[in-house]
Amino acid sequence: GNSVTQMEGPVTLSEEAFLTINCTYTATGYPSLFWYVQYPGEGLQLLLKATKADDKGSNKGFEATYRKETTSFHLEKGSVQVSDSAVYFCAPDSGGSNYKLTFGKGTLLTVNP
Amino acid sequence: NAGVMQNPRHLVRRRGQEARLRCSPMKGHSHVYWYRQLPEEGLKFMVYLQKENIIDESGMPKERFSAEFPKEGPSILRIQQVVRGDSAAYFCASSPRTVTGNTIYFGEGSWLTVV
């Protein structure tokens, strides 16, 4: 089955710092790739996605590029804000089964003013 | 907000009791999914349902857990004779269809604590 390895947290940054959260995956077929974000006390929200190799997903200043050759989908943001403090989850789907997401353990990001 | 609605948000049960978690999908969505998030872990898929049908239950524990999505009303995840290891956050998600590349939308979760 699929698996995901995410950068171990917690990650603590100062406001306006550059963010990278690494994510590599193993999957059969050609999965779509997703980043979800979970703010304190809330459910998961889709942050961005990419459906095929070399696609770049972007939203709210976050970006991630689907790298098939390295099976990676690293999340980046040029300038983080305090409001970005949350847990970030990388998740490939199961190719033909877009509902069967495999989530990593999550990376806790804390941004200090 | 016409998002995925889950209730209760927090539920406490004693060992041996039953837990029922409800999920109303987004308007226009007919596919429902349940995931479980154990402490310190990522979410894991449990079951996929359409109205009156279980499509994929490959992630459901073999015993004590069941799910339904009746023709009318919300989807229900039922856990019988709960044990401490069932303490987790249970997330429901929905989508209009399952064509590859479509997104599933998650609710805010139901936190079950077994004491």
Side-chain angles (χ1 to χ4, degrees):
Chain A
N2 293 358
S3 66
V4 175
T5 302
Q6 261 185 257
M7 181 173 165
E8 290 272 339
V11 174
T12 303
L13 296 173
S14 297
E15 208 164 19
E16 299 184 2
F18 184 85
L19 169 71
T20 299
I21 300 178
N22 290 338
C23 171
T24 57
Y25 65 91
T26 60
T28 54
Y30 302 96
S32 294
L33 303 175
F34 302 81
W35 276 100
Y36 279 84
V37 57
Q38 185 177 26
Y39 297 102
E42 299 184 13
L44 275 75
Q45 301 175 25
L46 176 67
L47 180 60
L48 54 83
K49 69 176 184 180
T51 57
K52 61 183 187 297
D54 300 323
D55 269 3
K56 178 185 283 188
S58 61
N59 185 28
K60 300 181 180 180
F62 291 89
E63 293 182 339
T65 300
Y66 190 142
R67 299 290 187 201
K68 187 169 182 292
E69 64 277 9
T70 55
T71 60
S72 64
F73 194 51
H74 305 319
L75 183 68
E76 296 182 336
K77 186 174 186 181
S79 177
V80 293
Q81 306 300 313
V82 172
S83 57
D84 294 327
S85 298
V87 181
Y88 292 81
F89 292 93
C90 179
D93 69 12
S94 296
S97 301
N98 74 306
Y99 60 86
K100 198 177 282 187
L101 299 167
T102 300
F103 284 86
K105 291 186 178 181
T107 302
L108 173 62
L109 169 67
T110 301
V111 180
N112 295 318
Chain B
N1 185 345
V4 179
M5 303 301 294
Q6 290 187 246
N7 69 83
R9 291 293 310 278
H10 298 276
L11 182 64
V12 179
R13 285 287 178 265
R14 296 186 184 279
R15 282 178 294 171
Q17 291 184 319
E18 179 179 285
R20 285 188 179 227
L21 308 176
R22 289 176 291 278
C23 169
S24 296
M26 285 179 73
K27 187 176 180 181
H29 288 191
S30 57
H31 299 222
V32 164
Y33 318 88
W34 286 94
Y35 279 72
R36 177 168 64 175
Q37 183 180 26
L38 293 169
E40 309 297 324
E41 295 188 14
L43 280 73
K44 294 191 189 308
F45 168 78
M46 298 180 76
V47 63
Y48 159 33
L49 309 105
Q50 294 178 21
K51 288 283 187 182
E52 301 184 285
N53 283 305
I54 296 175
I55 307 301
D56 182 350
E57 56 182 349
S58 58
M60 286 281 269
K62 299 299 181 192
E63 297 178 345
R64 302 186 297 106
F65 284 72
S66 62
E68 63 177 10
F69 189 18
K71 188 176 180 181
E72 301 291 337
S75 175
I76 307 285
L77 180 67
R78 181 183 179 204
I79 311 170
Q80 295 177 289
Q81 299 175 322
V82 296
V83 301
R84 288 227 170 98
D86 297 333
S87 295
Y90 292 83
F91 288 93
C92 175
S94 72
S95 73
R97 57 189 182 276
T98 58
V99 174
T100 298
N102 277 334
T103 302
I104 64 173
Y105 296 87
F106 284 86
E108 294 186 344
S110 292
W111 271 258
L112 171 65
T113 301
V114 179
V115 297

